[in-house]
Amino acid sequence: MALTIGVDIGGTKIAAGVVDEDGRIVEHLLRPTPARDPERVAESIGEVVKELAKDREIEAVGLGAAGFVDETRALVRFAPNLAWREEPLQRKVSHLVGLPVVVENDANAMAWGEARFGAGRGESHLVCVTVGTGIGGGIVFDGALYRGRWGMGAELGHMQLVPEGRLCGCGNLGCWEQYASGNALVIEAREIAEADPGRAATLLEIAGGKPELIEGSAVTEAARRGDSAALAAFSAMADWLAQGLCDLAAILDPGCFILGGGVSTAADLWIDQVRDGFTANLTGRGHRPAADIRLAELGASAGLVGAADLARIR
Ligand SMILES: [Zn+2]
């Protein structure tokens, strides 16, 4: 069976694996990312690929990169959390490992992994929303990954939903990910705790007494213990998530949405509200099928598996 290697390159770690045609991971490796040095990143990728390819016949390599990847799937134009600027990653890694290489945006790779082997199996039109620190997105349109004209499509987290809203890392105001991500959850919880400490008693106790010390894990724990501020922060996030999904459905009319990322590990605290908000506000509701809202199934390996599969499509 033809094997490919998928590599998921994040801001802190490189996850790589040998993947078969059915999306099964045959072998898996994890390394820290030397984030500040593009040459070292390419070398580290080369090392893990060579280690995995030893004594195996490998067809190609797919790299999922946390950045803006060009339409030829060769160049990382810009990466907010890594030192890449106009980085010719395909050429560098291909030269190091002697195999065909494709580069894909990491959220696109995740979406493809879920579409082929995870929660989106059998669905030709879907949108994958990765709710982590920010919001990543991937669109599968008519059975193929939709990249846009220049490879920059599906940056869903940067839809500007709130006029004059919170400043985003991208430089614009009011982006979706400033309201419906893990970061947004923390911002919201801190704001409530600052304004009304009595309401956030449990949350503040867990976080060490100060609003600025509140982190995502504390919000989750406090919400599970019934803290009113923590529950309100989750509720606000869920409403914004639902709103964004309604907008995406108005444009794309997908068969399903797949929600993944770090915040989805606490999905029991918000998924019902997202589903309810979506069906209550969807344009044309009652006269159209509503997209199914599902949780991702492949977890942290979705990007690696998707990148490996995309390496077959050259
Ligand atoms: Zn933005």
Side-chain angles (χ1 to χ4, degrees):
M1 182 178 273
L3 298 170
T4 54
I5 290 175
V7 187
D8 190 2
I9 308 135
T12 56
K13 53 186 184 296
I14 296 171
V18 178
V19 180
D20 72 14
E21 281 167 318
D22 296 322
R24 278 186 297 255
I25 300 172
V26 178
E27 195 184 338
H28 186 255
L29 280 177
L30 205 60
R31 292 284 156 77
T33 310
R36 292 294 132 219
D37 182 351
E39 296 309 317
R40 284 288 303 128
V41 175
E43 284 165 21
S44 293
I45 297 166
E47 283 160 20
V48 290
V49 169
K50 277 195 250 179
E51 196 172 328
L52 288 169
K54 200 160 61 186
D55 303 325
R56 283 197 178 98
E57 198 167 322
I58 299 294
E59 194 183 312
V61 179
L63 308 179
F68 289 81
V69 178
D70 80 329
E71 76 278 17
T72 67
R73 300 199 289 163
L75 200 69
V76 184
R77 294 206 173 277
F78 170 73
N81 299 311
L82 285 152
W84 289 322
R85 302 289 181 272
E86 305 297 328
E87 172 71 7
L89 194 61
Q90 179 193 49
R91 183 170 54 72
K92 278 189 189 170
V93 175
S94 179
H95 179 74
L96 286 168
V97 302
L99 288 166
V101 172
V102 298
V103 186
E104 193 68 61
N105 169 268
D106 61 341
N108 281 358
M110 264 180 241
W112 188 251
E114 289 290 344
R116 288 272 288 134
F117 308 111
R121 277 188 308 274
E123 182 59 71
S124 60
H125 293 75
L126 65 84
V127 178
C128 191
V129 182
T130 312
V131 190
T133 313
I135 290 183
I139 297 169
V140 172
F141 186 82
D142 215 0
L145 194 60
Y146 177 80
R147 298 185 178 86
R149 172 62 182 90
W150 312 107
M152 309 286 151
E155 287 293 335
L156 309 181
H158 302 287
M159 296 192 295
Q160 290 177 267
L161 261 61
V162 183
E164 306 298 315
R166 291 175 186 151
L167 176 65
C168 183
C170 76
N172 285 337
L173 297 176
C175 291
W176 191 28
E177 71 173 30
Q178 296 305 318
Y179 294 84
S181 65
N183 263 357
L185 181 72
V186 171
I187 292 169
E188 194 75 30
R190 285 179 183 173
E191 280 179 6
I192 300 169
E194 186 87 49
D196 190 354
R199 195 180 169 197
T202 308
L203 176 57
L204 284 167
E205 185 200 311
I206 295 166
K210 293 194 179 117
E212 63 269 27
L213 296 177
I214 293 170
E215 299 293 345
S217 56
V219 185
T220 304
E221 192 189 332
R224 293 203 188 289
R225 285 164 59 180
D227 181 89
S228 164
L231 289 168
F234 269 107
S235 177
M237 188 194 77
D239 281 347
W240 281 115
L241 263 177
Q243 181 60 58
L245 298 187
C246 284
D247 290 356
L248 289 166
I251 304 165
L252 294 163
D253 188 28
C256 76
F257 287 101
I258 300 172
L259 307 183
V263 179
S264 67
T265 56
D268 57 302
L269 289 167
W270 51 264
I271 190 77
D272 289 344
Q273 194 181 329
V274 172
R275 288 184 175 127
D276 291 348
F278 178 73
T279 43
N281 295 298
L282 178 65
T283 186
R285 57 191 171 277
H287 305 282
R288 63 184 285 183
D292 208 14
I293 297 174
R294 302 175 192 162
L295 291 171
E297 289 177 4
L298 302 183
S301 58
L304 183 168
V305 169
D309 197 62
L310 286 163
R312 297 175 203 283
I313 311 164
R314 276 173 284 123

